[in-house]
Structures are given as structure tokens and as C-alpha cells.
Amino acid sequence: MKRLLKGFLLLCAAAALTACGAKPEAASSVATVPPEAVSSSAADACAPERETADESGIYAGMDANIDLTLLSDTVVNAEVYNMLVTPENYTEKIVRMTGEYQEYTDEQTGELYHSCVIYDALACCQQGVEFVLTDGNYPEEGTTITVVGRYETYTTPYYDYFHLVDGVREK
């Protein structure tokens, strides 16, 4: 009996480690690497100079607290997940990410949501991060975009969500 139980537990552990589950479309998720995990000199050496496309320059010359563009596909997905499960660690931080622009319309409310969809290394799993641009100038669906915004949570009657607000598109 012990041998059967041990085999079952090992099989469950292997399945959990290799599974790739998709998130429901209604739920957004984001993950990041804590800034203290990377030395500032290493982060500065890797961070290219960036300019924003926004005329107001709200984030022009500002380094993101969490720059997902510097991370591998696998690590980005883990960081986006962390942003979902521990939002208190990311609130009010400036986040930079690159992904595919997609729109979603809530059928119940008619509300249009904008997201930056990030794929993992094998392109089998994806996570969408909702964002709101300050200028309202959203690209065509399917366009690869880089967005910088401030992480903020909000509550609906059904769920707690997060999104990037005061967002700007980078060139």
C-alpha cells in the first residue's frame, strides 16, 4: 500500500511540474522579479536607453521598478503570476513589458479591456496584463507593443484584478 501511495504522489508531483494550464480570460495576471534580487549595477548595465511615445513624457527617462523586457519568457510568466498572487508587493510600482496587444469585451457589461499578452518560452501558455493608456491611442490587435505603467489593483463585484494605469507605449 505504501509503495502504491508513493508512486501516486510521485506521479502527481511530476504532472504538477510539467503541466501548463491556461488562465481564464477574465482574470489578469502579472509577475515580476523583486528589484532586490538584481544588483543595481547589473540592472543598469542591461537596461537600454528608452524613450516613450507619449507626448507628455510621463515616464520619459524613468527606470521601471519592474522591467519584464529584461527577463526570459519563462521568468516573465513566473513574475506575472507573482503579481497576481501577491499584489501588495507590486502596488504603485512602475512596470515595463513587451507582448502582443489584444482586446477583450466583457459580454455582461460591454466594457472594453486592453491587454499585453505575454507567451512563455514554448508559446503554450500565455498571460495577459491589462493596461490603460493615457492617450487612448491603442494599436491594431496583434501588434507587438511595449507598455510602461503604474501597477494598481481594483475590485469588481466578482473578482479582484490588477492593471497598469497611466500607461504609455514605447517606440
Side-chain angles (χ1 to χ4, degrees), residues 48-63:
E49 296 273 335
R50 292 184 170 89
E51 295 179 23
T52 60
D54 182 50
E55 296 269 333
S56 69
I58 189 169
Y59 295 111
M62 181 184 292
D63 288 334

Side-chain angles (χ1 to χ4, degrees), residues 100-104 113-117 128-131 145:
E100 181 180 309
Y101 172 71
Q102 291 184 8
E103 296 176 347
Y104 168 74
Y113 295 94
H114 309 279
S115 65
C116 180
V117 177
V129 178
E130 181 186 342
F131 66 91
I145 59 169

Side-chain angles (χ1 to χ4, degrees), residues 5 8-10 28 31 35 37 54 83-84 95-96 104 106 115 117 121 131 149 154-155 158 167 169-170:
L5 183 59
F8 178 73
L9 289 175
L10 283 172
S28 296
D54 182 50
M83 292 171 78
L84 174 66
V95 177
R96 176 180 288 112
Y104 168 74
D106 185 329
S115 65
V117 177
F131 66 91
Y154 67 97
T155 303
Y158 307 105
R169 285 179 57 196
E170 292 187 332

